[in-house]
């Protein structure tokens, strides 16, 4: 009938009272170390009406304190979330301003590049002409060396 506390280990010389609640009734029993199998049970008397009222008041006060603490913690959590949302909103506004500035600067750069495009095309054309002129100079140099070699050959004869 009694589980748990009736099978606990005790010092050999001690004897004490223990209680358990079963189905709304309180049972008191004594456990002696010398006789571990012997248990006696008595029905305990219910506490007086004043004690029950005082215990109920105490329970309600403690429950009110607990619920107030829980609601305060929840309220603080929501305030923290609200502050975090405000800060996040401000950060997004800053990022929006940065993105607008980047977009404006990119448009300016594209316009400047478009304005420079004719000059860049002229530079490319000049570069191609210089390369062709360089090739012509190499060919002319090679031809002049051949002529010089022929002239020296003819001069030796």
């Amino acid at each position: 009938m009694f589980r748990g506390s009736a099978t606990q280990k005790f010092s050999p010389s001690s004897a004490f009272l223990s209680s358990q609640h079963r189905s709304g009734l309180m049972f008191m029993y004594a456990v002696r170390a010398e006789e571990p199998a012997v248990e006696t049970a008595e029905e305990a008397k219910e506490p007086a009406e004043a004690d029950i009222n005082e215990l109920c008041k105490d329970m309600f006060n403690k429950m009110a304190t607990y619920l107030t603490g829980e609601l305060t913690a929840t309220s603080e959590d929501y305030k923290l979330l609200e502050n975090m949302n405000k800060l996040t909103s401000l950060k997004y506004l800053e990022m929006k301003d940065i993105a607008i500035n980047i977009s404006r600067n990119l448009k300016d750069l594209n316009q400047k590049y478009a304005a420079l495009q004719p000059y860049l095309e002229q530079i490319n054309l000049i570069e191609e002409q210089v390369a062709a002129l360089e090739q012509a100079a190499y060919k002319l140099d090679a031809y002049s060396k051949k002529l010089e070699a022929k002239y020296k050959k003819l001069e030796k004869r």
Side-chain angles (χ1 to χ4, degrees):
M1 178 175 179
F2 298 109
R3 291 183 213 137
S5 53
T7 59
Q8 293 176 351
K9 294 183 180 177
F10 305 106
S11 65
S13 62
S14 68
F16 66 92
L17 292 176
S18 179
S19 66
Q20 285 190 334
H21 296 277
R22 291 280 190 252
S23 303
L25 298 176
M26 180 188 285
F27 292 95
M28 303 288 290
Y29 58 96
V31 177
R32 293 194 178 150
E34 297 88 28
E35 303 171 13
V38 176
E39 295 180 10
T40 60
E42 301 176 7
E43 186 174 342
K45 296 183 176 145
E46 295 208 11
E49 188 70 27
D51 289 343
I52 291 175
N53 288 339
E54 188 64 34
L55 290 172
C56 286
K57 285 179 185 177
D58 186 44
M59 180 193 70
F60 281 118
N61 287 335
K62 288 180 180 179
M63 185 61 78
T65 302
Y66 169 76
L67 291 175
T68 302
E70 285 292 316
L71 292 174
T72 302
T74 302
S75 174
E76 293 297 321
D77 287 345
Y78 280 120
K79 286 178 185 177
L80 176 64
L81 281 173
E82 182 181 5
N83 289 337
M84 290 171 61
N85 284 339
K86 287 178 182 177
L87 287 173
T88 303
S89 176
L90 291 174
K91 281 292 184 184
Y92 280 133
L93 286 175
E94 288 176 12
M95 290 171 56
K96 176 187 166 194
D97 292 341
I98 291 170
I100 288 171
N101 287 335
I102 289 173
S103 175
R104 187 180 317 120
N105 290 338
L106 185 60
K107 286 179 183 176
D108 290 344
L109 283 174
N110 284 335
Q111 289 174 351
K112 289 177 183 178
Y113 181 76
L116 289 174
Q117 190 64 32
Y119 299 112
L120 294 172
E121 289 174 4
Q122 286 179 357
I123 290 171
N124 286 340
L125 182 62
I126 291 171
E127 185 179 2
E128 289 172 5
Q129 290 173 351
V130 167
L133 187 59
E134 186 179 11
Q135 289 299 321
Y138 284 135
K139 287 179 183 178
L140 184 61
D141 185 45
Y143 182 70
S144 66
K145 286 182 182 178
K146 284 183 185 178
L147 278 178
E148 184 181 357
K150 282 186 182 180
Y151 177 74
K152 286 186 182 181
K153 207 183 218 186
L154 286 175
E155 220 178 52
K156 285 183 184 179
R157 287 189 191 173

